[in-house]
Amino acid sequence: MGVILATSRSFSDGDLDLVARAEAAGHEIVRGPAHHDLAELAPLLATAAGWVAGTGPVTDEHLAAAPDLRIVARYGVGTEAVDIAAAERRGILVTNTPGANADAVADHAVGLMLAALRFIPDGDRRVRSGDWSVRRGRELGAATVGIVGFGRIGQGVARRLSGFGCRVLAADPFLPAERITDLGATPVDLDELFRTADLVTLHAPGGQTLVDAARLDGIPRGTIIVNTARPDLVDEDALATALRDGRLGAYAADTLAGDTAASASPLLAPDLAERVTVTPHLGAQTTQAVDNMGSLSLDDVLSVLAGAAPAHPVSPRS
């Protein structure tokens, strides 16, 4: 029997009993903290043969504490928190779950667009305080929407927006312009997208700042930005300044810098509450996405522990 460490909070929390699936294959699931604190994880890593890893860091120090580890299966798409080079040096495979939560996140992105355009969270707060005054919003179908990053999630957003009748722009340096056109969007470069779009939705990988003070200087007044990707894509101080001076009409996001420890974010200032909507990193938290991510990650772990190749290996960083 092998030990499989699971540190994703929602692993096997959907309709599928993935713990039973692992046990049927002769393995034991052991739970660990999602923040991946090394002091807490070290005793669990010491016996782990497989690791279904959440969003916390997976460093060389973590891997050194796991002499029997053969695979780190990232529960989700992003692998920036995983030291892939260190894993490769140690002969540990790294996988992820591409596309598993794409529909869930695309749904959530459109929901945040509507929330920002129609002042839905603010309207709820006003009614609960006895204020039934009306703020006039804008229709999504009348907007030019710019999608930054046109992978699975960005394409899912574009499909959903087609039903609203939006004009859709897309910027993605890795996709040919003809492919973007075939998928229902107009290809543009990043600067043109920010100069043109009424609403910008971010679906790019982390590790880069795409929205900073200089870029915000060139946006149309009242632009709305939605971020269901990574908090480091934006400069939160610059966003707060642009919200206060009216250049930015609203910001809606599924996470902030620091994630669950983001209480000090400038975007949570009381004077910005009418124009900022933040959800607690729940874009991928649907029953279907949880089942998809759990199944793909566990299947790769079981394959490797059985001596087979995983279905979703992650290429080493260049």
Side-chain angles (χ1 to χ4, degrees):
M1 173 181 284
V3 172
I4 300 172
L5 174 63
T7 56
S8 168
R9 286 185 291 261
S10 61
F11 177 78
S12 197
D13 194 31
D15 288 338
L16 301 179
D17 188 346
L18 301 177
V19 173
R21 183 186 297 180
E23 291 174 348
H27 303 290
E28 176 189 6
I29 297 290
V30 175
R31 300 282 186 167
H35 50 68
H36 291 187
D37 178 76
L38 183 55
E40 293 185 48
L41 275 184
L44 305 175
L45 287 168
T47 60
W51 183 2
V52 177
T55 57
V58 178
T59 68
D60 189 39
E61 290 74 19
H62 287 85
L63 301 177
D68 299 324
L69 191 65
R70 297 168 61 186
I71 176 173
V72 175
R74 242 299 276 135
Y75 183 91
V77 178
T79 56
E80 61 269 19
V82 181
D83 190 335
I84 297 176
E88 185 181 34
R89 287 195 302 270
R90 295 179 179 277
I92 299 169
L93 291 167
V94 178
T95 63
N96 66 352
T97 59
N101 59 15
D103 283 338
V105 177
D107 281 354
H108 195 60
V110 175
L112 289 176
M113 293 177 196
L114 292 167
L117 284 165
R118 302 302 301 272
F119 310 113
I120 293 171
D122 181 57
D124 178 77
R125 286 191 294 267
R126 287 171 181 265
V127 168
R128 292 175 188 278
S129 66
D131 178 1
W132 285 77
S133 60
V134 174
R135 296 178 68 192
R136 182 173 296 165
R138 291 182 283 167
E139 294 178 16
L140 182 52
T144 295
V145 179
I147 302 175
V148 178
F150 210 53
R152 290 180 177 89
I153 297 172
Q155 292 168 26
V157 170
R159 288 195 300 273
R160 286 156 175 77
L161 293 179
S162 67
F164 288 89
C166 307
R167 178 189 178 205
V168 178
L169 313 176
D172 191 316
F174 302 106
L175 274 186
E178 308 80 48
R179 178 62 176 153
I180 292 175
T181 300
D182 290 344
L183 291 167
T186 300
V188 295
D189 65 33
L190 197 59
D191 288 331
E192 182 180 353
L193 185 147
F194 275 93
R195 287 194 303 266
T196 308
D198 305 306
L199 191 155
V200 176
T201 181
L202 304 177
H203 303 286
Q208 55 189 330
T209 301
L210 299 180
V211 183
D212 56 13
R215 183 148 274 147
L216 289 168
D217 281 341
I219 62 173
R221 192 168 184 82
T223 295
I224 291 170
I225 295 177
V226 171
N227 183 6
T228 55
R230 295 288 186 268
D232 60 357
L233 294 175
V234 303
D235 179 333
E236 293 186 354
D237 288 311
L239 286 176
T241 298
L243 285 162
R244 289 190 173 100
D245 66 27
R247 281 174 296 156
L248 192 61
Y251 181 67
D254 193 36
T255 185
L256 296 173
D259 202 12
T260 56
S263 57
S265 171
L267 295 170
L268 295 178
D271 66 307
L272 297 179
E274 291 186 356
R275 285 163 288 169
V276 174
T277 299
V278 182
T279 52
H281 213 157
L282 54 75
Q285 292 300 315
T286 66
T287 299
Q288 292 75 24
V290 164
D291 282 341
N292 289 340
M293 289 186 290
S295 292
L296 292 180
S297 58
L298 180 60
D299 286 349
D300 277 342
V301 170
L302 295 179
S303 292
V304 169
L305 297 188
H312 309 99
V314 175
S315 299
R317 289 182 178 131
S318 57

